[in-house]
């Protein structure tokens, strides 16, 4: 039995959905029961979770991939948040504190990856690349999703795997790692500020980005002036309020798209015309709205 890796204490700082509806907070399943080790360098667990469930902030010394089937999840860090639909997955490096909120009811698959510093060996060298030291959202191919679902999700309290099952898990996990290295990265995350006044405003926008139209309306509850808030956006987030809110709009579009809503409906829900929303997506992420939202454009019908 591998020696358990000590888990760091949870630090304060993550407060996902401060202004959103009440969430059902649940504890994490004991990570040590799914700890990856040299014989099983990639481990998987699965939970069926209801909408508005919050997995409390936590951290662990191995990397993590979170992927859901049939629902949207929100992964929150101290300084950023990511909204992830089923056709994408989110990577969390070792030691990064995070919380997970179920935007919709879904099965949540969590894969743990053993770094080579903890015994992962040569097969884990790819995780040492600087690009894997930051959180990232990636396209989850059909093959990657199928591989994840096939991984064994038993804990160390379950019956031990047979040699045949261990061999199969190693083959599956090697393919998972290969698919991850090939997966296109989606450069879309929502940065969060440190300033308390600005963070409260940003969390309110995250909860309901269409509630107000102008920054002047949003700042009424902050106790700060328009000039101060505008300056804080530039100094802490490196952008204007309008640019930051557009990122939030796109994140909410992802959540709506997971409900199989047409693009025109999604645009209207977010206060845009179809053409204006399509232009926003193209300008921000460099792809069509259909591609960004994981929707296949239907072929034109013959006259």
């Amino acid at each position: 039995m591998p020696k358990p890796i000590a888990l760091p204490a949870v630090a304060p700082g993550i407060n996902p959905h401060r202004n959103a509806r009440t969430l059902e907070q649940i504890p994490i399943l004991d990570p040590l029961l799914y700890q990856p080790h040299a014989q099983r360098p990639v481990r998987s667990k699965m939970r069926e979770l209801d909408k508005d469930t919050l997995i409390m902030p936590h951290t662990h010394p191995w990397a993590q991939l979170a992927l859901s089937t049939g629902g949207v999840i929100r992964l929150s860090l101290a300084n950023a948040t990511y909204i992830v639909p089923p056709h994408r997955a989110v990577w969390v490096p070792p030691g990064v504190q995070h919380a997970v909120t179920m935007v919709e009811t879904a099965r949540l698959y969590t894969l743990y990856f053993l770094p080579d510093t903890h015994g992962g060996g040569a097969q884990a060298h790819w995780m040492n690349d600087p690009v894997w030291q930051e959180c990232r959202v990636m396209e989850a191919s059909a093959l990657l999703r199928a591989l994840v679902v096939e991984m064994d999700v038993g804990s160390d309290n379950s019956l031990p795997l047979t040699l045949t099952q261990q061999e199969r898990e190693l083959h599956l996990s090697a393919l998972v790692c290969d698919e991850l290295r090939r997966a296109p990265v989606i450069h879309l995350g929502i940065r969060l500020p440190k300033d308390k006044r600005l963070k409260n405003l940003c969390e309110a926008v995250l909860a309901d980005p269409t509630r107000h139209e102008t920054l002047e309306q949003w700042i009424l509850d902050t106790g700060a002036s328009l000039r101060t808030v505008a300056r804080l956006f530039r100094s802490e987030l490196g952008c204007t309020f309008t640019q930051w809110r557009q990122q939030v709009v796109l994140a909410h579009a992802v959540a709506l798209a997971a409900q199989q809503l047409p693009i025109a409906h999604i645009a209207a829900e977010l206060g845009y015309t179809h053409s204006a929303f399509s232009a926003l997506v193209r300008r921000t992420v460099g792809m069509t709205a259909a591609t960004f939202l994981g929707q296949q454009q239907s072929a034109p019908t013959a006259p």
Side-chain angles (χ1 to χ4, degrees):
M1 173 69 83
K3 181 180 179 181
I5 299 174
L7 293 177
V10 174
I14 296 180
N15 188 15
H17 293 274
R18 179 182 183 274
N19 294 295
R21 55 192 177 273
T22 301
L23 301 174
E24 179 187 355
Q25 300 181 355
I26 63 172
I28 60 173
L29 292 178
D30 187 353
L32 293 179
L33 293 178
Y34 298 85
Q35 176 182 327
H37 49 83
Q39 290 72 41
R40 302 182 66 185
V42 180
R43 297 286 299 275
S44 178
K45 70 179 182 182
M46 185 276 289
R47 302 182 76 173
E48 296 187 4
L49 299 173
D50 292 331
K51 176 181 178 180
D52 294 338
T53 298
L54 167 65
I55 300 176
M56 297 299 290
H58 60 283
T59 184
H60 34 68
W62 45 78
Q64 170 180 311
L65 184 78
L67 181 151
S68 74
T69 58
V72 176
I73 64 175
R74 174 180 167 185
L75 185 132
S76 300
L77 313 178
N79 63 348
T81 190
Y82 301 85
I83 295 180
V84 187
H87 62 283
R88 298 203 172 117
V90 59
W91 172 266
V92 183
V96 174
Q97 188 186 22
H98 55 282
V100 179
T101 304
M102 304 305 295
V103 179
E104 298 173 337
T105 298
R107 288 185 175 185
L108 175 64
Y109 286 86
T110 305
L111 272 64
Y112 294 144
F113 297 77
L114 185 68
D116 64 353
T117 53
H118 287 89
Q123 62 186 343
H125 284 347
W126 61 275
M127 286 186 279
N128 294 331
D129 191 301
V131 300
W132 296 100
Q133 304 309 307
E134 298 180 356
C135 288
R136 48 171 32 193
V137 176
M138 299 167 287
E139 292 287 354
S141 66
L143 176 57
L144 177 59
R145 296 196 300 272
L147 291 168
V148 168
V149 170
E150 286 297 316
M151 290 284 292
D152 181 83
V153 294
S155 72
D156 286 342
N157 285 337
S158 305
L159 290 174
L161 299 185
T162 65
L163 291 178
T164 300
Q165 290 171 327
Q166 288 186 41
E167 184 177 359
R168 182 173 187 270
E169 182 180 72
L170 287 173
H171 288 316
L172 289 172
S173 62
L175 286 172
V176 166
C177 293
D178 189 57
E179 279 298 290
L180 281 181
R181 294 195 295 270
R182 296 169 181 267
V185 177
I186 305 298
H187 297 286
L188 187 64
I190 304 168
R191 294 179 58 199
L192 296 176
K194 294 181 180 178
D195 182 90
K196 184 177 180 180
R197 295 164 299 176
L198 189 61
K199 192 163 189 176
N200 288 345
L201 184 154
C202 288
E203 288 175 343
V205 178
L206 277 166
D208 184 4
T210 62
R211 191 172 72 179
H212 299 306
E213 293 185 1
T214 65
L215 180 56
E216 288 87 347
Q217 293 170 306
W218 282 106
I219 66 171
L220 293 179
D221 296 330
T222 66
S225 68
L226 178 62
R227 174 179 290 185
T228 296
V229 171
R231 174 180 57 79
L232 287 171
F233 265 102
R234 289 192 298 271
S235 62
E236 292 214 21
L237 300 176
C239 63
T240 66
F241 168 74
T242 299
Q243 292 168 331
W244 184 85
R245 182 179 172 275
Q246 287 174 348
Q247 299 290 314
V248 177
V249 166
L250 294 183
H252 277 260
V254 164
L256 291 170
Q259 302 174 25
Q260 305 301 314
L261 298 175
I263 294 176
H265 186 115
I266 293 170
E269 284 280 331
L270 297 170
Y272 288 78
T273 64
H274 190 171
S275 59
F277 176 75
S278 297
L280 170 64
V281 175
R282 173 74 73 175
R283 182 174 65 252
T284 306
V285 297
M287 60 182 70
T288 66
T291 301
F292 172 69
L293 298 175
Q295 298 183 356
Q296 295 295 327
Q297 297 213 4
S298 33
T301 55

